[in-house]
Amino acid sequence: MNNKKIFENIINKKTPSKIIYQDKKITAFNDISPKAPIHILIIPNKFIKNLNKITKKNLKILSHMIYMSKKIAKKKKINKSGYRIIINCNKDGGQKIKYLHIHLIGGKKLKNF
Ligand code: AMP
């Protein structure tokens, strides 16, 4: 399976996953290998390879992903304690799945860089 297919199958529910939130534009689900008590991935339903592919034309989807990240953080009750969002891009950025995603991480004190 090519690796963008993994996320496509989560969106269309062909692969079982814990979906936290879904609307017409985005899907949020638990990371299979969590790095913290809360580790959720937020992805666009329509394929975008990575942050390099965000343009003025499709910027709205990224704002929606970020906006929903903070809403989910509140729903998970980590908005006050704090959390981090991360977007890895390409090889040096550590992007393994070639499908744009935001990592929403929290529920413990995260190390600084
Ligand atoms: P990245 O390294 O930024 O590309 O992050 C990819 C993330 O996808 C990693 O944190 C993986 O643990 C996660 N992941 C891979 N396969 C799945 C899956 N089937 N369900 C949920 N998360 C996944």
Side-chain angles (χ1 to χ4, degrees), residues 6 10 29-33 41 88 94-97 101 103:
I6 297 172
I10 288 172
F29 53 96
N30 281 332
D31 195 292
I32 205 168
S33 173
L41 301 176
N88 296 326
Q95 182 183 12
K96 283 176 225 90
I97 304 272
H101 51 282
H103 295 258

Side-chain angles (χ1 to χ4, degrees), residues 60-75:
K60 263 191 163 177
I61 188 66
L62 183 62
S63 355
H64 184 51
M65 288 163 67
I66 295 172
Y67 179 72
M68 286 316 302
S69 299
K70 79 121 201 193
K71 296 277 272 187
I72 293 166
K74 189 169 183 194
K75 196 173 149 198

Side-chain angles (χ1 to χ4, degrees), residues 73-86:
K74 189 169 183 194
K75 196 173 149 198
K76 291 288 176 186
K77 300 185 167 59
I78 56 168
N79 56 317
K80 289 199 176 130
S81 52
Y83 56 91
R84 184 175 293 163
I85 66 169
I86 299 170

